[in-house]
């Protein structure tokens, strides 16, 4: 990995541009796969979103700021809803759960509900946001590998549609709270199926060495199912769940996962005489952060996922008369909110650094950084960016966009071509920051977190306000 605790100078790749970043013929070009659908440039070269230019946005709301194209978010949500519904119509049907961990606030929860999706939450805090938005309880799934008793009680009192169980202790914990409340808890079993989709290593051993779920190969999943079915008074087993990774660009990993999950589904029917009504194949669908990435469309994903589920069910004799196919669930998060959002920064300094041998690097420092996007430092993630506030006819210059924090590894965009006349006061925009950037944001160096702005039909509004110094000091009891 390029990230290094001693700083960027020690990191891999500290040299020329990566292979996927060619010399641009037009340094101002916007690659459509990287940007929200309504983004473009006006006659002055300014980036626009939802009919509003970013110079006006920066003037009114300041920078750094996350900017969400509301119509783009809604369109992507509808695409998953509709493009999966059609191919799964002949099976047991499909539910699309928006993975709230990618990014969630009250307004986004309302969008998700209005577009007909369900919602996946993984903490009491995320559930509280859903409750504040009056999200329909029966369309909420509750995840988490170590849910507290308070969180379980919160979920059951609100009446969530499913709780995904992750350990034997949690089976007992949910059963105890359900007994206390006098309810029957709808639950699913998270199965570790031995598939790691990042590298397409579909082995059933090494990738079970993780904190999530019940091992399929080790028999723990079968044991968990038996324990739950032994408590029908307080536990209602709805089905099986798996999640195989993230930034997945094809469905081959899901094929292996579905085969193993359908096999367990058939085993439950054979051993216990129970046809579980639901099956969740998780999420992890990839997005384009750079020109290197070519994600599948929701339509292609829907067709391919339905084909592989149909094939696997047929292999075990399910889906026919007397053996109804389970209703499938998927959990896109990044694939909906990621491309719908960009982060807007103002340039503060531009610095050329000699690397020796006639080589140099240009550092473009912006008024944000690892506190609003930790993914570059944490995951070695690549991003793109563009000059956003004006037109430029200057030649391209290879630059590294860095943040304002006291860390050498505080890098926003590792490598990007920007106009040679990039200067302090310019605005730059980094696409693809909707997923995990605000969710994982921090107050490092006591830096208040940026606002989240939603833009639609030429109007920008705050959906998460900017933190202030007063907010930082409010929890300090000194």
């Amino acid at each position: 990995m390029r990230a290094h605790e001693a700083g960027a100078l020690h990191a891999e790749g500290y040299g020329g541009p990566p292979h996927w970043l060619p010399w641009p013929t037009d340094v101002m070009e916007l690659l459509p796969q990287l940007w929200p659908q309504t983004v473009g440039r006006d006659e002055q070269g300014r980036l626009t979103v939802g009919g509003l230019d970013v110079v006006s946005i920066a003037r009114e709301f300041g920078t750094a700021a996350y900017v969400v194209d509301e119509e783009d978010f809604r369109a992507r949500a509808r695409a998953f809803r509709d493009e999966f519904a059609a191919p799964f119509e002949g099976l047991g049907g499909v539910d699309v759960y928006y993975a709230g961990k990618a990014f969630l606030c009250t307004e986004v929860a309302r969008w998700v509900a209005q577009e007909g999706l369900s919602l996946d939450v993984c903490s009491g805090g995320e559930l509280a946001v859903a409750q504040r938005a009056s999200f329909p309880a029966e369309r909420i799934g509750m995840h988490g590998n170590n849910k507290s008793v308070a969180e379980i009680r919160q979920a059951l009192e609100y009446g969530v549609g499913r709780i995904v169980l992750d350990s034997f202790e949690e089976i007992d914990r949910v059963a105890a709270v359900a007994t206390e409340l006098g309810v029957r808890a709808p639950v699913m079993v998270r199965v570790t199926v031995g598939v790691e989709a990042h590298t397409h290593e579909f082995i059933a051993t090494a990738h079970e060495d993780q904190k999530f779920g019940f091992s399929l190969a080790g028999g723990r999943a079968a044991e968990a199912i038996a324990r739950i079915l032994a408590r029908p008074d307080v536990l209602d087993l709805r089905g099986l769940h798996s999640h195989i990774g993230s930034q997945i660009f094809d469905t081959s990993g899901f094929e292996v996962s579905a085969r193993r999950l359908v096999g367990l589904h058939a085993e439950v029917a054979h051993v216990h005489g129970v046809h579980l009504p639901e099956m969740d194949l998780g999420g992890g669908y990839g997005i384009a952060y750079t020109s290197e990435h070519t994600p599948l469309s929701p339509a292609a994903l829907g067709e391919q996922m339905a084909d592989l589920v149909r094939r696997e069910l047929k292999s075990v004799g399910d889906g026919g008369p007397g053996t109804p196919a389970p209703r499938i669930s998927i959990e896109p998060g990044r694939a909906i909110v990621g491309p719908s959002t960009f982060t807007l920064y103002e340039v503060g300094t531009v610095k050329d650094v000699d690397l020796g041998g006639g080589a140099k690097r240009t550092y473009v420092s912006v008024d944000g950084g690892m506190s609003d996007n930790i993914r570059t430092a944490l995951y070695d993630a690549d991003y793109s960016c563009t000059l956003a506030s004006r037109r430029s006819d200057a030649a391209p210059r290879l630059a590294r966009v860095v943040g304002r924090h006291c860390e050498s590894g505080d890098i926003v965009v590792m490598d990007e071509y920007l106009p040679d006349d990039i200067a302090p006061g310019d605005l730059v925009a980094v696409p693809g920051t909707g997923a995990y950037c605000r969710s994982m944001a921090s107050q490092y160096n006591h830096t208040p977190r940026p606002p989240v702005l939603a833009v639609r039909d030429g109007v920008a509004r705050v959906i998460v306000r900017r933190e202030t110094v007063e907010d930082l000091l409010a929890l300090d009891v000194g």
Side-chain angles (χ1 to χ4, degrees):
M1 294 179 65
R2 289 188 305 235
H4 194 287
E5 63 183 352
L9 289 171
H10 299 266
E12 294 179 20
Y14 192 87
H19 67 88
W20 48 262
L21 186 64
W23 182 267
T25 55
D26 179 4
V27 75
M28 300 293 286
E29 181 185 9
L30 299 175
L31 299 180
Q33 68 268 34
L34 305 184
W35 295 92
Q37 296 172 18
T38 73
V39 164
R41 291 193 189 274
D42 63 15
E43 65 280 357
Q44 300 176 51
R46 300 177 301 186
L47 199 71
T48 62
V49 55
L52 185 63
D53 71 86
V54 298
V55 174
S56 298
I57 292 173
R59 185 181 301 122
E60 181 175 358
F61 300 101
T63 54
Y66 303 104
V67 182
V68 186
D69 181 343
E70 180 181 344
E71 184 49 46
D72 183 272
F73 181 102
R74 289 177 177 271
R76 292 178 192 276
R78 290 193 297 269
F80 272 98
R81 180 196 69 195
D82 297 342
E83 300 294 353
F84 271 76
F88 276 95
E89 187 175 1
L91 293 168
V94 67
D95 292 308
V96 179
Y97 281 75
Y98 172 71
K101 65 179 182 177
F103 172 69
L104 189 65
C105 68
T106 306
E107 186 66 5
V108 162
R110 293 191 184 111
W111 298 349
V112 172
Q114 290 164 4
E115 298 302 339
L117 274 64
S118 297
L119 178 65
D120 178 76
V121 301
C122 57
S123 72
E126 290 182 357
L127 179 56
V129 173
Q131 290 175 280
R132 186 182 186 192
S134 299
F135 201 98
E138 68 277 7
R139 285 161 51 191
I140 296 176
M142 180 75 168
H143 260 94
N145 69 298
N146 189 24
K147 307 174 196 69
S148 68
V149 170
E151 288 173 322
I152 293 168
R153 184 178 294 110
Q154 177 189 1
L156 291 179
E157 286 179 342
Y158 192 56
V160 302
R162 59 167 67 166
I163 297 177
V164 182
L165 298 178
D166 205 271
S167 66
F168 292 117
E169 290 85 358
E170 196 165 82
I171 294 174
D172 296 336
R173 201 172 293 152
V174 172
V177 176
T179 300
E180 171 196 326
L181 297 177
V183 300
R184 191 165 181 242
V187 299
M188 299 187 80
V189 171
R190 178 156 180 172
V191 182
T192 309
V193 294
V195 176
E196 212 294 331
H198 301 285
T199 55
H200 301 286
E201 296 176 6
F202 310 133
I203 56 176
T205 53
H207 298 308
E208 301 205 359
D209 184 10
Q210 58 166 293
K211 72 175 185 177
F212 292 110
F214 295 92
S215 166
L216 177 62
R220 295 296 184 95
E223 183 181 349
I225 290 165
R227 289 195 192 186
I228 294 167
L229 291 175
R231 301 293 309 272
D233 53 330
V234 288
L235 299 177
D236 175 18
L237 182 58
R238 305 300 302 164
L240 308 175
H241 178 284
S242 72
H243 182 73
I244 62 173
S246 59
Q247 273 297 86
I248 302 168
F249 292 105
D250 62 59
T251 57
S252 54
F254 289 107
E255 183 171 5
V256 180
S257 172
R259 182 175 306 134
R260 294 172 181 173
L261 215 59
V262 167
L264 181 59
H265 172 86
E267 180 183 324
V268 173
H270 176 72
V271 174
H272 301 283
V274 175
H275 243 68
L276 300 176
E278 299 178 29
M279 182 180 297
D280 193 315
L281 296 177
Y285 311 117
I287 68 169
Y289 286 105
T290 71
S291 60
E292 179 185 27
H293 303 134
T294 54
L296 292 173
S297 68
L301 283 167
E303 289 288 347
Q304 292 180 29
M305 295 284 284
D307 285 346
L308 68 88
V309 169
R310 185 179 296 105
R311 187 164 58 248
E312 298 306 326
L313 286 172
K314 184 178 180 180
S315 72
V316 297
D318 261 15
T323 56
R327 188 171 181 86
I328 299 298
S329 301
I330 60 165
E331 298 171 2
R334 182 200 314 259
I336 294 174
V337 71
S340 73
T341 305
F342 60 86
T343 307
L344 188 64
Y345 299 105
E346 182 177 320
V347 175
T349 66
V350 179
K351 182 188 298 184
D352 288 335
V353 176
D354 290 326
L355 304 179
K360 69 176 183 179
R361 185 184 304 284
T362 298
Y363 281 85
V364 177
S365 297
V366 297
D367 56 351
M370 64 193 307
S371 61
D372 60 73
N373 186 352
I374 192 62
R375 295 189 68 256
T376 306
L378 187 63
Y379 296 130
D380 194 33
D382 286 310
Y383 283 88
S384 303
C385 72
T386 190
L387 174 63
S389 51
R390 61 180 174 87
R391 173 179 287 108
S392 175
D393 297 318
R397 179 201 302 199
L398 185 63
R400 178 161 294 170
V401 181
V402 296
R404 55 175 295 183
H405 301 288
C406 291
E407 295 283 344
S408 297
D410 178 24
I411 298 170
V412 179
V413 181
M414 194 76 170
D415 296 287
E416 182 59 282
Y417 287 105
L418 291 171
D420 191 57
D421 62 354
I422 188 85
D426 283 332
L427 299 178
V428 296
V430 177
T433 57
Y436 302 104
C437 291
R438 181 58 175 82
S439 295
M440 301 176 77
S442 73
Q443 299 170 339
Y444 185 50
N445 291 159
H446 278 60
T447 303
R449 284 173 287 196
V452 182
L453 314 172
V455 183
R456 189 178 189 182
D457 298 329
V459 177
R461 70 188 194 283
V462 176
I463 59 174
V464 178
R465 71 167 175 82
R466 184 183 300 279
E467 282 186 332
T468 65
V469 173
E470 288 72 25
D471 292 325
L472 298 180
L473 297 177
L475 300 179
D476 190 335
V477 299

